[in-house]
Amino acid sequence: MGKHGKHLVWDWNGTLLDDTGAVIGATNAAFAELGLASITLEQYRELYTVPVPKFYERLMGRLPTDAEWVVMNGTFHRHYRERAGACGLTVGAAELLAARQEAGVTQSLLSLAPQVELIPLVRHHGIAERFVRMDGRLDDSSDGKSGHMVRHLAALGVPAERVVVIGDAADDAVAAAHVGARAVLYTGGSHSRASLSRVGVPVVDSLEEAVAVAEELV
């Protein structure tokens, strides 16, 4: 729990990993294969939502069928894997993680990225030792992070009232609220500031500011 009992739950994609460009590239590559028009970063940030099939509904005007979803999801991940290795950490992320660990604040990682891909990538960036637990998605479901957050905190044994979730998506705040934790949302990832501001939690433009706000919340 750390000497003050505070615990940070970090998101990965678009938060600690600066991969928004790779996500847009993979999305458009997948769209091209499926005969859909490409989108801009601005469009992505305004339309993106979890569960991801709802995002496709906003683009297509209807929910994809189960068969279409399997193709879309698989095609996206194939293109994303081709790009992910070239992505770096968000500026200052490694230093912030190290500083919080040295200050006695425990940290964990919770992502909707597939577990088998998440863990090697985190280790590749040399920050795995900063986390007391790392959890990714274990199945092919398209649900959001709320259920995963319940299991994550239960495995950690950390009271939700001592937890702050730092992420880049509205779903991170939804998952935090689901377990009774607090959240701070970062504008450098999947959502625009305008869309994040509608969520009702603090919104920041840097991870350094996110950590500073988290310090004030619990």
Side-chain angles (χ1 to χ4, degrees):
M1 285 292 294
K3 62 185 179 182
H4 300 300
K6 191 191 310 292
H7 182 85
L8 301 181
V9 176
W10 290 91
D11 173 57
W12 179 241
N13 301 101
T15 303
L16 292 174
L17 185 66
D18 185 14
D19 67 344
T20 304
V23 169
I24 299 299
T27 298
N28 283 331
F31 282 3
E33 287 194 24
L34 298 166
L36 299 173
S38 63
I39 62 172
T40 65
L41 173 61
E42 290 72 22
Q43 289 173 314
Y44 181 89
R45 284 178 163 163
E46 282 301 318
L47 296 174
Y48 182 74
T49 190
V50 174
V52 177
K54 295 291 289 183
F55 170 55
Y56 287 118
E57 180 183 27
R58 293 179 176 183
L59 294 169
M60 301 168 62
R62 62 175 177 82
L63 278 170
T65 66
D66 290 344
E68 286 173 330
W69 164 247
V70 170
V71 173
M72 289 175 165
N73 192 47
T75 305
F76 168 82
H77 282 291
R78 173 165 53 83
H79 285 288
Y80 177 78
R81 283 192 294 270
E82 294 172 356
R83 293 163 169 80
C87 297
L89 295 177
T90 299
V91 174
E95 293 80 6
L96 281 169
L97 292 170
R100 301 324 298 145
Q101 184 182 43
E102 291 168 6
V105 176
T106 57
Q107 303 169 105
S108 59
L109 185 66
L110 179 61
S111 173
L112 294 181
Q115 175 97 354
V116 295
E117 298 175 13
L118 172 70
I119 304 304
L121 194 53
V122 176
R123 288 174 176 159
H124 169 74
H125 286 287
I127 58 171
E129 68 275 10
R130 306 302 179 198
F131 306 112
V132 295
R133 186 176 180 87
M134 298 183 288
D135 286 323
R137 190 188 291 279
L138 297 174
D139 55 31
D140 294 326
S141 66
S142 61
D143 56 329
K145 195 175 277 187
S146 293
H148 301 279
M149 186 69 72
V150 172
R151 293 186 289 273
H152 186 71
L153 295 192
L156 287 168
V158 177
E161 63 269 19
R162 303 305 301 166
V163 170
V164 181
V165 177
I166 299 177
D168 70 312
D171 187 56
D172 291 302
V174 170
H178 182 71
V179 296
R182 310 297 293 273
V184 182
L185 298 179
Y186 164 61
T187 61
S190 61
H191 286 26
S192 67
R193 171 174 273 279
S195 62
L196 291 179
S197 296
R198 294 192 285 269
V199 179
V201 303
V203 177
V204 300
D205 297 317
S206 71
L207 297 188
E208 182 178 13
E209 187 180 359
V211 169
V213 172
E215 287 287 342
E216 299 173 355
L217 289 178
V218 297

Tab-separated table of all heavy atoms in Angstrom, residues 30 109 138 150 164 176 187 206 211:
chain	number	residue	atom	x	y	z
A	30	ALA	N	-6.988	-0.846	-41.242
A	30	ALA	CA	-8.070	-1.824	-41.139
A	30	ALA	C	-9.299	-1.353	-41.903
A	30	ALA	O	-9.956	-2.143	-42.598
A	30	ALA	CB	-8.414	-2.055	-39.671
A	109	LEU	N	-0.837	-1.470	-13.216
A	109	LEU	CA	-1.180	-1.206	-14.608
A	109	LEU	C	-2.394	-2.040	-14.972
A	109	LEU	O	-2.412	-3.252	-14.756
A	109	LEU	CB	0.003	-1.575	-15.512
A	109	LEU	CG	-0.115	-1.264	-17.001
A	109	LEU	CD1	-0.158	0.242	-17.231
A	109	LEU	CD2	1.070	-1.873	-17.756
A	138	LEU	N	-7.797	-10.808	-21.006
A	138	LEU	CA	-7.516	-12.235	-21.114
A	138	LEU	C	-8.419	-12.955	-22.104
A	138	LEU	O	-8.245	-14.154	-22.343
A	138	LEU	CB	-7.644	-12.899	-19.739
A	138	LEU	CG	-6.662	-12.415	-18.666
A	138	LEU	CD1	-6.991	-13.056	-17.328
A	138	LEU	CD2	-5.223	-12.705	-19.071
A	150	VAL	N	-12.707	-4.171	-11.033
A	150	VAL	CA	-13.138	-4.894	-9.827
A	150	VAL	C	-12.153	-6.009	-9.512
A	150	VAL	O	-11.680	-6.157	-8.368
A	150	VAL	CB	-14.559	-5.466	-10.018
A	150	VAL	CG1	-14.915	-6.382	-8.840
A	150	VAL	CG2	-15.580	-4.349	-10.153
A	164	VAL	N	-6.413	6.167	-7.177
A	164	VAL	CA	-6.662	7.112	-8.263
A	164	VAL	C	-6.280	6.432	-9.571
A	164	VAL	O	-5.185	5.899	-9.704
A	164	VAL	CB	-5.865	8.422	-8.114
A	164	VAL	CG1	-6.188	9.373	-9.276
A	164	VAL	CG2	-6.175	9.101	-6.788
A	176	ALA	N	-13.341	3.654	-12.685
A	176	ALA	CA	-12.992	4.149	-11.355
A	176	ALA	C	-14.246	4.367	-10.512
A	176	ALA	O	-14.319	3.947	-9.360
A	176	ALA	CB	-12.188	5.443	-11.475
A	187	THR	N	-5.290	14.270	-21.707
A	187	THR	CA	-5.782	14.657	-23.036
A	187	THR	C	-4.896	14.188	-24.188
A	187	THR	O	-5.236	14.417	-25.343
A	187	THR	CB	-5.916	16.181	-23.150
A	187	THR	OG1	-4.617	16.784	-22.955
A	187	THR	CG2	-6.888	16.735	-22.127
A	206	SER	N	-0.888	16.818	-19.160
A	206	SER	CA	0.388	16.121	-19.030
A	206	SER	C	0.291	15.084	-17.925
A	206	SER	O	-0.548	15.210	-17.014
A	206	SER	CB	1.529	17.100	-18.714
A	206	SER	OG	1.414	17.598	-17.389
A	211	VAL	N	-0.379	13.327	-12.046
A	211	VAL	CA	0.138	12.849	-10.766
A	211	VAL	C	-0.083	13.909	-9.680
A	211	VAL	O	-0.459	13.586	-8.546
A	211	VAL	CB	1.611	12.460	-10.890
A	211	VAL	CG1	2.224	12.225	-9.523
A	211	VAL	CG2	1.762	11.209	-11.752
